[in-house]
Amino acid sequence: MTNNQKATTAVRAFLLAACALLVAGPVPARAAALPTSPAGDWLYVTVARGEPRSGDLRGTLLLCDPPQGHEQAVRACEELRAAHGDVGRIPLKETFCPMVYAPVSVSARGEWGGHAITYEETFANSCVMAARTGAVFALPH
């Protein structure tokens, strides 16, 4: 058998197998075990330099029972407790930020006090982000 004949035979076998799968129809997938949510109050926080869905993306799971997840977890959890888990209710820190446009996009998804939490925002720069969200998104660079 020549190389051309071998190649033709292999292509035919592949096409026959593909046709058999199409005729058989979809095969139900086995249900995958879903990961369980952490107990207590928690948020999965992400920080992206640049516009949303672009740039340098970092993320971590912030757990607050006990505080862990990033370097400032204790402070972040305290601020979240005071705001009842609502990142948007963390008091604005009075600070002077440079008027430099270097956008930072953040998101938080999780559970606080038994309620689903979702937060997304793009700030002009990291200084403005820290002034408005405290330590929640203080992830290492």
Side-chain angles (χ1 to χ4, degrees):
M1 190 178 270
T2 68
N3 283 342
N4 270 350
Q5 290 173 327
K6 287 179 185 177
T8 302
T9 302
V11 169
R12 283 185 185 161
F14 172 77
L15 290 174
L16 285 173
C19 288
L21 287 174
L22 289 173
V23 170
V27 177
R30 283 191 265 173
L34 295 174
T36 58
S37 296
D41 299 329
W42 62 274
L43 294 175
Y44 184 76
V45 297
T46 63
V47 177
R49 295 199 182 281
E51 296 296 331
R53 294 176 179 72
S54 70
D56 171 33
L57 178 68
R58 297 177 317 265
T60 193
L61 182 62
L62 172 63
L63 301 169
C64 289
D65 296 317
Q68 55 187 321
H70 63 69
E71 294 171 359
Q72 296 188 32
V74 171
R75 190 172 129 220
C77 291
E78 288 172 357
E79 292 169 345
L80 284 165
R81 280 188 193 100
H84 305 287
D86 185 350
V87 178
R89 290 181 58 195
I90 293 175
L92 175 66
K93 312 291 184 284
E94 290 195 33
T95 187
F96 292 99
C97 291
M99 293 183 65
V100 173
Y101 186 69
V104 178
S105 299
V106 299
S107 71
R109 286 178 176 56
E111 188 174 299
W112 197 274
H115 300 285
I117 300 293
T118 302
Y119 177 85
E120 290 183 353
E121 188 70 47
T122 298
F123 298 99
N125 57 52
S126 58
C127 178
V128 175
M129 175 199 71
R132 296 208 180 141
T133 64
V136 174
F137 299 101
L139 304 181
H141 297 289

